[in-house]
Amino acid sequence: MSPLPLRCHSILLTFVCAVPFGVLAGDPTGSSAKTLYDQALLAQSNGAYGDALSLFLSVQSLAGNDPAIHHHIAQCVESLRTQRDFQFHLSAMERARGMLTLRASAAKDLSRRLGSEGDISDDGYSFAGSSTLFMQDEQVWEALAALISTVPGGWVTIESESGSDASRASRQVAERLVREGMVPFERVSLWNKSRMGDNLNVVVSFRKRESGGQQTVDPGVLIQVETPLWVLDETPEQQFHLFVLNPGAYRRWTLEISNEEGNLIHRVEGAPKVLAQVRWNGQRTGGQRVSFGRCRARLTLEEWRSNLISDETSFIVSDRIVSPDKPVPAASPPPPLQRQHRFFIRFKERGGTPLDRDREILSRVAYLLAINPNQRVVAIGSVDGSEPRPEELASLRTQCVLESLMELGIPRNRLVVRENPARDGAGVALTFEDDLP
């Protein structure tokens, strides 16, 4: 027999030396430890480092401390750490890939909804469109908010023409971005740009945008009021919503309420905050109730150098008598437009592919999940009554939808599948629910 090569001798020697002395003992405890030790070696060689670590610890408790066992434990711990780091980087890469996909989809939808191609550069994304679309089209808003969510630490610059209706709309867009937590107030800026008409230009950039010689003409002062005020209610109350984009630049704010003739009715002041609410009970400063008619609310900010800037709006004081037997609730503003929280993705009959015209719904679902981090979506596969193998087909469809949402950057733990198929037609129903703590 020819002698083994030197390398094989070295491997055999290493293995024999690695066997702990206690494991080779002839007593029952040593035999049990030897069995566990062999299982641990097999698990380690197969890459099951967690199982191997548990087994080596059991061997250690039976056979006592031994340098060889310590060596294997250290190897398993290091391998688990490497696996963890690899999974972390892999997950980070998947999140980045999904974020880029979601960003591209949101930019494409914004251009389509606004009717103009957005300007995409290394510095960020710029979209121009009617101020009405930015204010009233919820799908424009959802795509914009989703785009902002994919630019962590980014800035939002809103450009409008000074003195136009779009100038006030720019403040309302900024206020909603801050109020809904899309971007901190310190990373929102409003600028004047000539010859824009009724359009807004919204720029989402990776860093603070240079002014390019433009002058800031709108510091973000905004007052909104709930209308009307039912002054004859038992407990009349009006709420004024104040928005100050850069509160640190001002000493104080003053809210003055005047009647249609311009006479002062009520006055209140306070320290500037980004968002604040002021309540008014419909009474003059002296305690008398105001008369019916149109009133005006004027918000004035005093800068530290005593310069004044202001914003104003009007509202109606109306009459309402509350019957003691049939109380009428105080007036409230019309409810805001609610986002749709149930969608149905239609599929080809007897197939596992969504209809082309329904694919864009998946982007909107991803946008809603991106801007509502406390919600998850529940997917329920659905079949037509004539389709064969309903359970299998429903599962295939839900899996297709889930994979599409994950490609758009939505993590798997925010997607829930209900197993029992519905019979509402070929497709997948998606409903939103609050995520469990």
Side-chain angles (χ1 to χ4, degrees):
M1 179 181 296
S2 60
L4 288 171
L6 180 60
R7 184 184 176 194
C8 293
H9 280 298
S10 175
I11 293 174
L12 287 175
L13 181 61
T14 300
F15 177 78
V16 172
C17 293
V19 179
F21 175 79
V23 171
L24 297 178
D27 58 78
T29 300
S31 176
S32 176
K34 177 64 168 63
T35 300
L36 292 175
Y37 184 75
D38 291 340
Q39 293 174 358
L41 287 176
L42 180 61
Q44 185 180 15
S45 65
N46 290 333
Y49 301 112
D51 295 340
L53 177 61
S54 178
L55 289 167
F56 280 126
L57 290 173
S58 298
V59 173
Q60 186 182 53
S61 65
L62 290 173
N65 294 329
D66 187 277
I69 299 178
H70 280 297
H71 175 70
H72 285 298
I73 290 175
Q75 284 184 326
C76 289
V77 169
E78 182 60 29
S79 298
L80 286 171
R81 184 180 296 113
T82 301
Q83 280 187 342
R84 182 201 63 195
D85 293 343
F86 175 76
Q87 289 298 327
F88 174 80
H89 291 300
L90 185 63
S91 298
M93 291 174 62
E94 286 296 314
R95 288 195 300 272
R97 181 192 59 78
M99 181 180 67
L100 291 174
T101 304
L102 183 65
R103 184 185 299 168
S105 180
K108 179 180 177 181
D109 282 357
L110 266 174
S111 296
R112 181 173 55 83
R113 299 291 301 185
L114 293 172
S116 62
E117 287 295 327
D119 181 20
I120 302 175
S121 64
D122 292 338
D123 187 51
Y125 299 78
S126 176
F127 298 91
S130 165
S131 58
T132 302
L133 286 175
F134 281 104
M135 291 295 300
Q136 299 181 7
D137 191 326
E138 281 297 290
Q139 294 192 39
V140 167
W141 180 260
E142 289 160 2
L144 174 62
L147 176 68
I148 293 172
S149 73
T150 67
V151 186
W155 288 73
V156 177
T157 304
I158 307 173
E159 299 172 335
S160 62
E161 184 173 340
S162 178
S164 67
D165 291 340
S167 179
R168 185 172 181 85
S170 70
R171 288 177 286 169
Q172 292 175 320
V173 170
E175 183 266 341
R176 185 173 178 182
L177 287 172
V178 174
R179 172 166 45 86
E180 296 192 2
M182 300 305 167
V183 62
F185 75 92
E186 64 269 16
R187 294 207 298 269
V188 180
S189 55
L190 303 175
W191 298 92
N192 176 36
K193 194 173 183 180
S194 61
R195 296 188 298 276
M196 290 192 64
D198 188 44
N199 283 346
L200 293 182
N201 189 45
V202 179
V203 182
V204 182
S205 55
F206 299 99
R207 58 191 65 86
K208 186 175 183 179
R209 198 178 188 211
E210 298 297 328
S211 65
Q214 300 176 60
Q215 296 296 315
T216 302
V217 296
D218 194 336
V221 183
L222 175 68
I223 178 174
Q224 293 178 307
V225 61
E226 299 178 359
T227 58
L229 168 64
W230 300 101
V231 73
L232 294 184
D233 273 352
E234 288 184 337
T235 55
E237 183 179 88
Q238 181 66 280
Q239 286 192 4
F240 302 92
H241 303 273
L242 313 183
F243 172 60
V244 182
L245 190 58
N246 186 15
Y250 308 103
R251 184 191 303 272
R252 67 174 63 87
W253 58 260
T254 302
L255 180 66
E256 294 181 331
I257 303 170
S258 304
N259 60 17
E260 199 165 8
E261 291 75 29
N263 299 319
L264 182 64
I265 297 174
H266 186 71
R267 185 177 186 273
V268 63
E269 64 179 29
K273 297 192 299 183
V274 179
L275 297 171
Q277 285 188 349
V278 176
R279 290 179 169 85
W280 179 48
N281 62 3
Q283 296 181 358
R284 297 173 180 268
T285 304
Q288 306 88 357
R289 288 188 175 181
V290 298
S291 303
F292 310 145
R294 182 177 296 275
C295 289
R296 181 161 295 276
R298 180 181 180 87
L299 174 66
T300 302
L301 293 178
E302 180 185 350
E303 294 182 332
W304 291 100
R305 295 182 179 181
S306 298
N307 297 322
L308 300 178
I309 59 172
S310 63
D311 179 44
E312 62 181 37
T313 190
S314 62
F315 63 100
I316 298 294
V317 175
S318 187
D319 61 329
R320 172 182 287 179
I321 299 177
V322 179
S323 168
D325 299 327
K326 296 181 179 181
V328 179
S332 59
L337 181 62
Q338 296 294 318
R339 295 190 179 99
Q340 177 60 257
H341 287 288
R342 188 181 190 281
F343 301 91
F344 192 80
I345 315 296
R346 291 170 295 177
F347 276 63
K348 296 178 180 179
E349 188 176 352
R350 302 196 177 195
T353 306
L355 298 180
D356 291 340
R357 62 178 178 269
D358 279 16
R359 287 185 179 275
E360 68 177 50
I361 298 177
L362 292 170
S363 295
R364 191 173 183 206
V365 172
Y367 300 159
L368 286 169
L369 287 170
I371 62 182
N372 292 283
N374 296 324
Q375 288 194 319
R376 63 182 183 180
V377 72
V378 178
I380 305 173
S382 179
V383 296
D384 187 85
S386 62
E387 291 181 311
R389 304 188 306 278
E391 290 81 6
E392 179 182 336
L393 195 54
S395 176
L396 177 66
R397 288 168 175 166
T398 54
Q399 187 61 32
C400 174
V401 167
L402 263 57
E403 288 177 357
S404 297
L405 291 174
M406 286 189 288
E407 288 176 358
L408 287 169
I410 305 304
R412 179 63 179 85
N413 60 3
R414 298 187 64 192
L415 308 173
V416 180
V417 177
R418 296 283 159 79
E419 297 297 335
N420 296 330
R423 295 187 179 273
D424 297 329
V428 174
L430 298 174
T431 57
F432 284 73
E433 63 179 27
D434 292 336
D435 200 359
L436 298 177

